[in-house]
Amino acid sequence: RGLTHQAAMTEAARDLAAMEVHVAGLAEPPDHIAVLLAAMAELVRRNATAAAQAEFLDRHLLGWIGAFAEDCRAFDRDGLYAAVATATADYLRADHRRLTRDAR
């Protein structure tokens, strides 16, 4: 169907299935930010190790969240989504630093 992020979608779907995380009734693809943040919340709820949480962030969010926030800043005339995206990116980076430190 000409999907542009097929590899990321496939990888996210595989990892969510391995976690036994299923998103019922959601029309978004498995690599959608809302799905990935919900999966991170599930890892926390399950008391996943710091290393497992950091790896999930590495694999699915940190590679593109900065560019996503930049795009939001460039195109969001009112600034609400840009602020939320920037705060989310900053939080995920800080959380990754903490998780990486805790995993040692």
Side-chain angles (χ1 to χ4, degrees):
R1 297 184 334 150
L3 298 173
T4 58
H5 301 288
Q6 188 66 44
M9 226 169 48
T10 300
E11 185 176 337
R14 184 188 66 237
D15 288 354
L16 293 174
M19 293 170 55
E20 296 183 356
V21 170
H22 307 283
V23 184
L26 185 66
E28 302 302 340
D31 64 336
H32 188 278
I33 188 169
V35 174
L36 296 173
L37 291 174
M40 272 301 298
E42 182 63 16
L43 286 171
V44 172
R45 188 188 72 74
R46 294 179 182 181
N47 294 316
T49 66
Q53 292 177 50
E55 180 183 353
F56 189 88
L57 285 171
D58 279 333
R59 290 174 56 84
H60 297 293
L61 285 156
L62 293 181
W64 59 268
I65 194 72
F68 174 75
E70 287 177 26
D71 286 348
C72 287
R73 286 191 295 274
F75 296 106
D76 178 17
R77 290 179 289 165
D78 297 324
L80 174 65
Y81 294 104
V84 171
T86 299
T88 301
D90 291 346
Y91 175 82
L92 293 176
R93 289 184 195 113
D95 195 37
H96 185 265
R97 285 191 299 273
R98 179 191 60 82
L99 290 166
T100 302
R101 186 179 57 245
D102 291 352
R104 292 184 203 153

